[in-house]
Amino acid sequence: MSQSTSISRAALVARDAADPLAHFRDCFHIPDNLIYLDGNSLGPLPKRTVERMHQTVNEEWGRMLIKGWTACDWINAPARIGAKIARLIGAQPDEVICTDSTSINLFKTLAAALTLNPGRRVILSTRDNFPTDLYIAQGLIQHLGGGYELRMVDGERIAEYLDDQIAVLMLTHVNYKTGRMFDLPALTQQAHACGALTLWDLAHSAGAIPVDLNGAGVDFAVGCGYKYLNGGPGAPAYLFVARRWQPLFSQPLSGWMGHAEPFAFTSIYEPAPGIGRYLCGTPPILSMAALESGVDLLLEADMQQVRAKSLALTDLFIHLVNMRCAGYGLELVTPRDHAIRGSQVSFRHPQGYALMQALIAANVIGDFRAPDIVRFGFAPLYLRFVDVWDAVDRLLHILESRAWDREEFRRLKPVT
Ligand SMILES: *Cc1c(COP(=O)(O)O)cnc(C)c1O
C-alpha cells in the first residue's frame, strides 16, 4: 500500500473537499456527530424519501384511494422499480422485478434453477453463506421430497467443487461477515462450463459495487432493498431472471399478481409471459415508494466513482486501524486485495460484542456478527474521509481506556 503513515485529519478534510460524490451527503438525514458505518445493514433515510412518503400517503392513498392503482401507476411499481434496479446490476429492464423479501426470492429463483437443470441434484454453496440463503435451500429441498442435496464447502476453494453433479451454484457476491468478494464473472463461466446454473445474491454488493449480470451471463440473482439501496427498514427486495429462462419455468408461489391476467379472475393459473410471473401477491406500495426514492438517488451517482471511493475509504480505515490501534487484538479478516474486497471491513476481536456496544455508545455505528466479528460498512454516498479518521479516533480511545469492559456492553441485545 502506498499510503504514507503520516495522514492527518486536515489532509482528509481537503480530500473530502475534492470528492466528486461529496454533494450526496446532504441528500441524507444523518444525525449530528453520528458516524454511520452500517449502511450495509440498513441504509439511512434520504431526505427526498420523506417528501415522497408524504406525497404517497397524503396525495395518493389519502386522496386517490383505490383509483391509485391505475391513476398513480401503483400496479406497475414492481416492474418500474425493477427496471431501475436493473441499471445498477447490468440487466435489461424486463429482467428484474421488485418484490417480496430476499429470502422469498431465493426460494422462487432456486426452484427455477433446479427445475431448469433436470438430472442434477446438488446445490453448491459455501458454509459461510448468509444463513437465510442456506436455510431456504434446505427448506426447498425438503419440500421437493428430499432428492436434492445442499453441498456447503469452503468458499476459498469453491471452484474445485464444480463438477457434473452440480445443478446450481448459489453464492453471495460479497460475504456478509468477511467482506470477501467472489469473482462473479469467472465463477459464472466456470459453473456454466460444467453445466451448472448460477444464482447470485447481491445483498452486499448492488449499490456499492458495479455489477454486470448480463456481461457475466448470470442466470438468476436476488438482492436486498434496505441495504445499499437505502429503501428503508424491511424494504422490498428484487430478483433477476435472464430473459432466456423466463418463459421456460413458472415459479411455485403462483399468486394472482403473477398471473397473465390477474383481473380476469379465472380459476386456472396461467403465468404472466415475462418476469411478471415472479410476482406473488399485492405489492406494498408505501414501502415501494420509499425504495424507489432511494434507488432514484443512487442512479444519480456514477457507480465507478462509488466503487473507487468505497475502496479508498476501506483502504484508509484498514490503514489507520493498523497504524493507530495495533496491539489491541484486532485481526483484519477482510482481504486487502481490491479485486476481492467488497465495501466493508471486518475485524476479529475476542471482546467484539462489547467493543461494538462501546463504539455505538460513542456514536460510531457498526455491527457485530457472531462469534467475534466487528463489522464496518462503508457507503460512499454519505461517508466522508474525515469520518473514517474520527471513527478510528473513537475506536482507539475505547481500546486504550478499555471503555468496552463494562457489564452493560456485554448484555446481548436481540438484534446485533
Ligand atoms: C441481508 C441479507 C439477506 C436478507 O434476507 P431477508 O429476506 O431480507 O431477511 C439475504 N441474503 C444475504 C446474503 C444478506 O446479506
Side-chain angles (χ1 to χ4, degrees):
M1 218 143 292
S2 61
Q3 282 161 340
S4 126
T5 54
S6 57
I7 294 168
S8 68
R9 193 176 188 282
L12 296 175
V13 171
R15 197 161 174 190
D16 284 321
D19 170 15
L21 298 173
H23 61 283
F24 281 104
R25 180 176 172 85
D26 192 45
C27 298
F28 292 90
H29 279 288
I30 312 269
D32 285 345
N33 200 34
L34 182 77
I35 302 176
Y36 193 64
L37 305 180
D38 216 359
N40 54 331
S41 233
L42 173 63
L45 171 62
K47 289 177 182 169
R48 61 173 70 176
T49 300
V50 179
E51 282 304 303
R52 175 68 188 268
M53 292 310 281
H54 202 266
Q55 154 90 18
T56 307
V57 169
N58 291 301
E59 302 303 318
E60 298 189 5
W61 180 17
R63 288 178 191 275
M64 305 301 288
L65 288 150
I66 200 157
K67 291 182 288 181
W69 285 105
T70 36
C72 309
D73 208 29
W74 293 343
I75 196 68
N76 287 315
R80 183 178 71 241
I81 302 168
K84 291 180 178 184
I85 294 171
R87 289 160 56 191
L88 293 171
I89 57 178
Q92 293 297 320
D94 59 357
E95 290 178 312
V96 180
I97 197 139
C98 177
T99 183
D100 296 325
S101 64
T102 305
S103 301
I104 291 173
N105 291 338
L106 279 161
F107 184 87
K108 293 182 283 190
T109 49
L110 193 54
L114 289 179
T115 307
L116 291 168
N117 206 352
R120 294 191 176 201
R121 295 283 168 211
V122 179
I123 301 164
L124 182 65
S125 194
T126 62
R127 256 187 294 277
D128 65 355
N129 199 347
F130 191 82
T132 209
D133 300 53
L134 302 175
Y135 300 163
I136 290 290
Q138 290 161 29
L140 178 62
I141 286 171
Q142 194 174 31
H143 176 73
L144 293 174
Y148 290 87
E149 176 196 342
L150 171 62
R151 196 168 288 168
M152 292 178 279
V153 302
D154 173 8
E156 304 264 339
R157 300 172 48 205
I158 188 79
E160 295 169 34
Y161 294 94
L162 281 166
D163 61 31
D164 62 7
Q165 296 186 322
I166 311 299
V168 52
L169 176 64
M170 179 185 78
L171 293 177
T172 297
H173 189 196
V174 172
N175 184 276
Y176 75 107
K177 262 191 194 175
T178 62
R180 186 185 180 87
M181 181 165 71
F182 279 121
D183 186 339
L184 181 150
L187 280 165
T188 299
Q189 193 184 25
Q190 283 166 300
H192 288 167
C194 81
L197 296 174
T198 52
L199 166 52
W200 287 95
D201 187 330
L202 306 175
H204 283 279
S205 43
I209 294 167
V211 177
D212 186 3
L213 292 178
N214 282 332
V218 168
D219 305 285
F220 302 92
V222 297
C224 225
Y226 50 79
K227 293 172 179 164
Y228 292 112
L229 307 193
N230 306 311
Y238 59 91
L239 62 82
F240 158 90
V241 179
R243 267 186 197 157
R244 62 187 175 280
W245 296 121
Q246 289 178 11
L248 304 182
F249 177 76
S250 88
Q251 54 92 10
L253 300 180
S254 44
W256 72 309
M257 282 292 150
H259 192 279
E261 285 184 276
F263 291 91
F265 294 104
T266 58
S267 340
I268 304 296
Y269 184 74
E270 187 197 324
I275 191 79
R277 63 178 56 188
Y278 281 81
L279 292 175
C280 181
T282 305
I285 295 306
L286 302 183
S287 300
M288 292 221 148
L291 174 60
E292 185 167 31
S293 166
V295 171
D296 283 341
L297 176 57
L298 202 53
L299 284 171
E300 290 171 18
D302 175 333
M303 245 334 116
Q304 301 300 331
Q305 285 181 353
V306 167
R307 175 63 172 160
K309 184 176 172 190
S310 153
L311 287 170
L313 290 167
T314 51
D315 271 346
L316 178 66
F317 187 68
I318 292 169
H319 176 75
L320 289 175
V321 170
N322 280 346
M323 283 293 126
R324 304 185 65 204
C325 306
Y328 289 106
L330 286 167
E331 182 199 335
L332 180 68
V333 296
T334 300
R336 287 170 183 278
D337 180 355
H338 286 180
I340 55 170
R341 187 198 307 162
S343 199
Q344 71 182 62
V345 178
S346 303
F347 294 93
R348 243 180 221 115
H349 190 277
Q351 298 296 332
Y353 183 77
L355 179 59
M356 185 50 75
Q357 290 303 309
L359 268 167
I360 293 169
N363 254 342
V364 178
I365 300 195
D367 57 23
F368 172 77
R369 288 294 173 262
D372 59 357
I373 287 186
V374 287
R375 187 175 79 152
F376 303 90
F378 291 84
L381 288 199
Y382 48 85
L383 283 175
R384 299 167 299 196
F385 289 96
V386 75
D387 293 324
V388 177
W389 178 275
D390 292 342
V392 176
D393 232 28
R394 294 182 205 177
L395 172 63
L396 176 62
H397 177 75
I398 287 165
L399 291 166
E400 278 175 343
S401 64
R402 292 178 64 90
W404 52 265
D405 194 5
R406 286 165 62 168
E407 175 55 29
E408 63 183 281
F409 292 148
R410 273 191 284 268
R411 220 169 295 137
L412 220 54
K413 295 192 173 133
V415 176
T416 63

